[in-house]
């Protein structure tokens, strides 16, 4: 009888450690295939669908919608369909006959076994997808290609009674040893990965060395590419006494998700009344997801960055008239934010100090890191909270190109489908809070960036033009910057550059 396979919640990108289970796409008893979406989860950055690395029948769902699950904990258990069953061809990635221990070469390579006819075509197709990066992984994420060869590991038939549960790695191989099918698997060695993505896997030679010397590979940081555990890492661990044995804990029973519970009259003072104000507590809402990330990032920004703010009122009448003139000759005219974004990228070329990052070394020394290019972050308010997707290489785009990309990023961000790369790669942020009907804001810098430019609402105001009072379209620009990377003169120069471009756009457009 086939062993039940447990799929652990994978690292969904950017080193996130937890995700909230939004909904299940499958139920216990359903027959599923490889790469079929099984659940929708919400991380601190986006909402993604998780595909199954296994085919078979769903045996158990480890969690309820609304629960927060830790990365590396069980997500779903799948029982492969027995050979000869109705879905055997789709579910059986290996031949039914007993498998033998793969022979190891001097480099730790495992010799491939020929696959049986029923599964050979599917297995080879799956391996080819993994080599090239199939794209059939987490929706909204990509698969790297050309970084090595990944192979799916087949389950070794257990000698004990059938029906046991085993947790299998999705990929197996190493830089110092080739892929190993049927190699010994220990729960402490697992690094759960999405199908098609290379992980910190270990060669059979390294595993055997660790096993013979009692080294816990789960606690060793790999020195190879992508955290790969190399032979030298195990040798170093052998010479260093282990401080503590890491215990492999069994999956904990699912705990109910925290909910906001209204306080009822008659509750005890300790539960329902705030000791400081004397008022009844109406609800307690956990800080999690996007709100948790925003809170952490903003607090870090305010505690680490010595920020300063400069602002200026700007006559935007010239830009408004330019855009109206373009409408008469074309139906697709960039929005005002796209024009301002183009002025910002031009300004950052003149004042590159504001397109940098501060890096602090372990010894406390600091460096200012400059970039050859601009990834322009666009602050977007969504139902999930404030997110900042970035237009990569924004300095290379025209106003039309920026307009299209800003609209696309804003749309995917509001759907919760923006990728970690889109949400975490900015070098400078543009914040259009004028859409909320406010004039200005002392914005908090999006750490680890060093500056953020805010644009207020555009309204009619009295303005002196050529010595006479006139009604003009006026907005306010506010720049908050990190005083460690530049002084006020640089910040004021950049702000004035963007303001002048808005007031006299035709003069700047001639140079773009």
């Amino acid at each position: 009888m086939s062993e039940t396979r447990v799929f652990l919640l994978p690292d969904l990108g950017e080193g996130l450690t937890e995700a909230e289970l939004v909904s299940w796409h499958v139920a216990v008893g359903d027959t599923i295939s490889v790469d079929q979406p099984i659940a929708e989860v919400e991380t601190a950055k986006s909402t993604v669908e998780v595909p199954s690395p296994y085919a078979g029948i769903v045996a158990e769902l480890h969690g309820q919608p609304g629960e927060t699950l830790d990365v590396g904990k069980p997500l779903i258990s799948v029982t492969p369909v027995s050979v000869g069953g109705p879905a055997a061809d789709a579910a059986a990635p290996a031949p039914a006959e007993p498998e033998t221990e793969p022979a190891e070469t001097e480099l730790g390579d495992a010799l491939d076994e020929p696959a049986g006819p029923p599964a050979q075509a599917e297995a080879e197709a799956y391996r080819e997808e993994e080599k090239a990066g199939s794209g059939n992984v987490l929706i909204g994420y990509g698969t790297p290609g050309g970084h090595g060869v990944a192979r799916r590991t087949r389950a070794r038939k257990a000698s004990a009674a059938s029906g046991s549960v085993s947790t299998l790695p999705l990929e197996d191989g190493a830089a110092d040893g080739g892929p190993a099918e049927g190699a010994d698997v220990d729960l402490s060695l697992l690094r759960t990965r999405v199908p098609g993505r290379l992980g910190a896997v270990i060669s059979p030679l390294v595993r055997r060395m660790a096993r013979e010397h009692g080294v816990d590979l789960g606690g060793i940081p790999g020195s190879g590419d992508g955290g790969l555990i190399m032979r030298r890492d195990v040798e170093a661990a052998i010479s260093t006494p282990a401080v503590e044995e890491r215990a492999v804990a069994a999956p904990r029973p699912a705990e109910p998700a925290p909910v906001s519970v209204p306080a009822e009259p008659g509750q005890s003072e300790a539960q329902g009344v705030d000791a400081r104000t004397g008022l009844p507590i109406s609800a307690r809402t956990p800080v999690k997801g996007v709100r948790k990330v925003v809170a952490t990032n903003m607090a870090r920004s305010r505690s680490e960055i010595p920020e300063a703010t400069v602002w200026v009122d700007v006559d935007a009448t010239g830009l408004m008239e330019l855009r109206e003139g373009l409408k008469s000759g074309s139906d697709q005219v960039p929005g005002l934010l796209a024009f301002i974004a183009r002025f910002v990228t031009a300004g950052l070329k003149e004042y590159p100090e504001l397109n940098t990052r501060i890096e602090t070394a372990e010894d406390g020394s600091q460096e200012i890191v400059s970039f050859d290019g601009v990834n322009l972050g666009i602050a977007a308010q969504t139902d999930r909270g404030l997110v900042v997707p970035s237009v990569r290489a924004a300095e290379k785009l025209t106003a039309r190109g920026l307009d299209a990309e800003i609209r696309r990023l804003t749309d995917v961000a509001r759907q919760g489908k923006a990728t970690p790369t889109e949400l975490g790669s900015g070098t400078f942020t543009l914040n259009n809070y004028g859409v909320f009907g406010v004039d200005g804001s002392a914005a908090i810098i999006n750490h680890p960036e060093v500056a953020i430019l805010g644009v207020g609402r555009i309204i009619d105001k009295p303005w002196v033009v050529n010595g006479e009072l006139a009604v003009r379209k006026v907005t306010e620009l506010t720049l908050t910057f990190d005083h460690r990377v530049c002084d006020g003169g640089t910040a004021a120069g950049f702000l004035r550059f963007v303001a002048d471009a808005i007031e006299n756009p035709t003069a700047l457009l001639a140079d773009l």
Side-chain angles (χ1 to χ4, degrees):
M1 183 177 178
S2 301
E3 296 179 344
T4 298
R5 299 179 173 184
V6 179
F7 177 38
L8 308 183
L9 179 66
D11 181 353
L12 301 172
E14 297 292 305
L16 299 174
T17 60
E18 63 182 18
E20 181 179 337
L21 180 59
V22 177
S23 62
W24 286 106
H25 294 338
V26 297
V28 174
D30 288 354
T31 300
I32 61 175
S33 58
V34 172
D35 276 348
Q36 176 180 335
I38 54 174
E40 184 177 33
V41 299
E42 181 180 17
T43 71
K45 299 196 171 193
S46 59
T47 300
V48 296
E49 289 182 324
V50 181
S52 172
Y54 307 127
I57 299 175
V58 177
E60 184 177 357
L61 304 178
H62 300 277
Q64 299 295 327
E67 245 183 274
T68 298
L69 305 177
D70 294 332
V71 169
K73 293 302 177 71
L75 178 65
I76 190 173
S77 296
V78 179
T79 302
V81 178
S82 301
V83 175
D89 290 341
E97 53 269 28
E99 300 176 24
T100 60
E101 182 78 14
E104 293 179 0
T105 67
E106 292 181 358
L107 295 178
D109 293 335
L111 302 179
D112 290 338
E113 298 174 349
Q120 184 174 9
E122 179 188 353
E124 288 303 319
Y126 191 92
R127 292 189 182 105
E128 288 304 317
E129 281 186 344
E130 289 184 331
K131 291 177 185 177
S134 68
N136 296 327
V137 293
L138 296 184
I139 294 174
Y141 294 74
T143 58
H147 300 291
V149 176
R151 292 183 186 268
R152 184 173 54 177
T153 299
R154 295 203 299 266
R156 190 198 303 196
K157 299 297 181 293
S159 58
S162 61
S164 60
V165 176
S166 64
T167 308
L168 302 180
L170 303 182
E171 305 160 44
D172 200 4
D176 59 348
E181 298 187 6
D184 289 339
V185 178
D186 187 88
L187 185 60
S188 64
L189 311 183
L190 296 181
R191 303 287 185 90
T192 304
R193 288 292 185 267
V194 176
R197 296 180 67 180
L198 300 181
V201 292
I202 307 140
S203 76
L205 188 64
V206 176
R207 282 192 178 133
R208 185 174 62 186
M209 181 186 299
R211 185 167 58 248
E212 291 174 353
H213 291 83
V215 175
D216 177 13
L217 288 172
I220 298 178
S223 62
D225 294 340
L228 191 69
I229 298 179
M230 311 292 287
R231 183 173 186 169
R232 58 178 175 268
D233 301 321
V234 176
E235 291 173 344
I238 293 172
S239 60
T240 304
V243 178
E244 182 180 355
E245 279 287 320
R246 257 178 49 177
V248 179
R252 293 178 299 178
E255 299 177 359
V259 295
S260 300
V261 181
E264 298 179 0
Q267 283 183 318
S268 66
E269 180 176 345
Q271 294 180 344
V273 178
D274 179 50
R276 178 178 174 273
T277 63
L279 297 175
I281 297 175
S282 60
R284 292 184 181 273
T285 304
V287 179
K288 60 181 182 178
V290 173
R291 177 52 49 198
K292 181 179 180 180
V293 171
V294 170
T296 301
N297 201 41
M298 296 298 101
R300 183 177 182 183
S301 178
R302 273 287 162 89
S303 64
E304 292 185 10
I305 298 177
E307 61 188 32
T309 303
V310 290
W311 61 91
V312 64
D313 287 337
V314 182
D315 179 5
T317 306
L319 180 59
M320 300 281 284
E321 292 175 346
L322 172 65
R323 187 169 180 272
E324 288 298 321
L326 292 173
K327 283 183 178 180
S328 60
S330 174
D331 294 334
Q332 296 181 345
V333 179
L336 291 173
L337 188 63
F339 282 109
I340 296 174
R342 188 65 188 92
F343 301 151
V344 166
T345 58
L348 291 175
K349 184 177 180 180
E350 298 293 326
Y351 300 92
E353 297 92 336
L354 296 171
N355 189 50
T356 60
R357 181 176 69 229
I358 290 279
E359 286 189 356
T360 304
E362 293 182 359
D363 61 0
S365 61
Q366 293 184 325
E367 290 181 332
I368 298 176
V369 181
S370 302
F371 304 105
D372 183 14
V374 178
N375 287 352
L376 185 62
I378 305 295
Q381 189 67 44
T382 72
D383 293 339
R384 302 173 62 243
L386 179 66
V387 295
V388 187
S390 59
V391 180
R392 298 172 67 85
E395 80 284 356
K396 298 179 181 179
L397 299 179
T398 63
R400 279 194 174 89
L402 286 167
D403 184 70
E405 186 64 2
I406 289 172
R407 293 179 189 276
R408 184 191 72 81
L409 286 171
T410 302
D411 182 57
V412 298
R414 286 174 178 161
Q415 293 180 42
K417 301 297 184 182
T419 67
T421 298
E422 290 171 333
L423 293 174
S425 60
T427 60
F428 184 96
T429 296
L430 178 60
N431 187 1
N432 180 25
Y433 43 68
V435 296
F436 301 113
V438 297
D439 296 324
S441 169
I444 300 176
I445 297 172
N446 184 23
H447 186 278
E449 298 169 16
V450 297
I452 180 172
L453 178 68
V455 183
R457 60 178 178 166
I458 299 178
I459 59 174
D460 291 338
K461 279 189 176 182
W463 198 265
V464 176
V465 180
N466 298 325
E468 296 184 357
L469 194 63
V471 176
R472 308 288 285 184
K473 302 293 185 181
V474 178
T475 187
E476 181 181 289
L477 300 181
T478 305
L479 176 69
T480 303
F481 65 98
D482 187 336
H483 226 313
R484 296 175 297 177
V485 301
C486 68
D487 296 324
T490 300
F494 169 79
L495 186 62
R496 194 64 256 174
F497 180 95
V498 178
D500 291 343
I502 293 175
E503 291 184 342
N504 190 12
T506 55
L508 179 63
L509 289 175
D511 298 327
L512 294 180

